[in-house]
Amino acid sequence: MTSDMICDAHRHIGVLPAHPFYGGPAVNPDVTARATVKQLIADLDAEGTERALVLPNYGVPDPAVAFALNDLVLEAAQADDRIRAGLWVSPLPRDEERTTRALALAGERGVRALKLSFLLGGRPADPACRPGLDRIFAAAERHGLVVHVHTSPGAASDVDEVGHLVEWYADRVPVHLVHFGGGMSGHIKLAGSRFFDWIAAGKRVYTDLSWAIGFAPYWLAGEIERRGIGHDRVLFASDQPWGDFAGEHARMRAAAGDGELGALVFRGTFASLYT
């Protein structure tokens, strides 16, 4: 258990089917995935996690798996007041019917976010995705929800692509950019200027540093101090089962410290954004 109660702004529930990733044998890499709400709650208790935003697990190239876990996420949020739900949605035309069903749950008790990832297809700048994106962000605005977006370097999840969502929608809807760009190029793009430029322009943009390369949390903390903005835009996230709670916690605690920034990263910003 950690020595302080903390809030986790990004973790998953659900066990994925085995899949032959990258042409290899079928495997289950999400070895700490939890299949039940009871198992998830036991993890929160063991960690000393005070609040958590919980999302469907995903990773196999079948969006039906992630959509099917929306019910489990909602069950978790309604079983324990510590848990907030993020619902899986998609702007892809082929997912329109499933997204309609997901958005119908957006007003349910405990729902605080809608989850987007372009790892399973589409891209923000694709004109075919724009009507779906408009619909998702309109629902988020109507229900007062955050849109939680995966980032990783290159292709459709790169900051160059995902940044369009901040520019188009973050005047009205909070956008949480997961993984702070997800790698070297994304970290440099965001910490070097874009994250702070968006904040200065009034965009409601947030981030977490799960998966971040070692230098990134320290650089970001230093830039926040130097620029005097961004203290209230960074959240702790474990990304369990794809991340490691203990490792992510230790790294962010070392970078954020025990003062004002640490208090916001581990508790305050989650409270204002997700509760």
Side-chain angles (χ1 to χ4, degrees), residues 60-139:
V60 297
D62 180 1
V65 175
F67 276 109
L69 289 170
N70 279 339
D71 289 339
L72 183 59
V73 166
L74 192 58
E75 177 190 342
Q78 296 186 350
D80 192 314
D81 188 55
R82 290 176 294 176
I83 298 170
R84 299 293 181 265
L87 300 174
W88 184 269
V89 294
S90 166
L92 289 167
R94 66 173 180 259
D95 291 330
E96 181 177 359
E97 184 177 339
R98 289 181 289 206
T99 294
T100 296
R101 290 197 296 269
L103 293 178
L105 302 173
E108 292 289 321
R109 179 170 60 86
V111 175
R112 292 298 305 132
L114 302 176
K115 173 70 176 185
L116 279 177
S117 175
F118 295 92
L119 292 180
L120 303 189
R123 61 191 310 128
D126 181 353
C129 288
R130 190 61 186 269
L133 288 169
D134 287 345
R135 188 162 158 251
I136 289 163
F137 278 88

Side-chain angles (χ1 to χ4, degrees), residues 101-247:
R101 290 197 296 269
L103 293 178
L105 302 173
E108 292 289 321
R109 179 170 60 86
V111 175
R112 292 298 305 132
L114 302 176
K115 173 70 176 185
L116 279 177
S117 175
F118 295 92
L119 292 180
L120 303 189
R123 61 191 310 128
D126 181 353
C129 288
R130 190 61 186 269
L133 288 169
D134 287 345
R135 188 162 158 251
I136 289 163
F137 278 88
E141 182 177 15
R142 186 165 60 252
H143 292 284
L145 306 180
V146 180
V147 176
H148 199 272
V149 188
H150 173 84
T151 68
S152 53
S157 297
D158 194 90
V159 169
D160 290 347
E161 279 280 349
V162 174
H164 292 306
L165 304 179
V166 178
E167 291 156 6
W168 295 336
Y169 302 110
D171 292 326
R172 309 184 313 276
V173 175
V175 176
H176 177 164
L177 299 178
V178 173
H179 306 314
F180 197 57
M184 179 70 75
S185 62
H187 299 338
I188 291 173
K189 290 171 185 177
L190 287 172
S193 63
R194 291 187 212 183
F195 186 61
F196 296 99
D197 291 346
W198 284 328
I199 293 170
K203 303 295 185 183
R204 300 174 67 188
V205 61
Y206 297 80
T207 197
D208 70 61
L209 286 98
S210 56
W211 291 17
I213 297 173
F215 74 93
Y218 297 94
W219 185 24
L220 179 59
E223 285 298 293
I224 287 170
E225 180 66 25
R226 185 177 73 84
R227 296 170 183 261
I229 58 173
H231 294 73
D232 57 347
R233 304 302 183 93
V234 182
L235 302 109
F236 167 72
S238 71
D239 194 26
Q240 288 281 146
W242 301 105
D244 169 62
F245 184 95

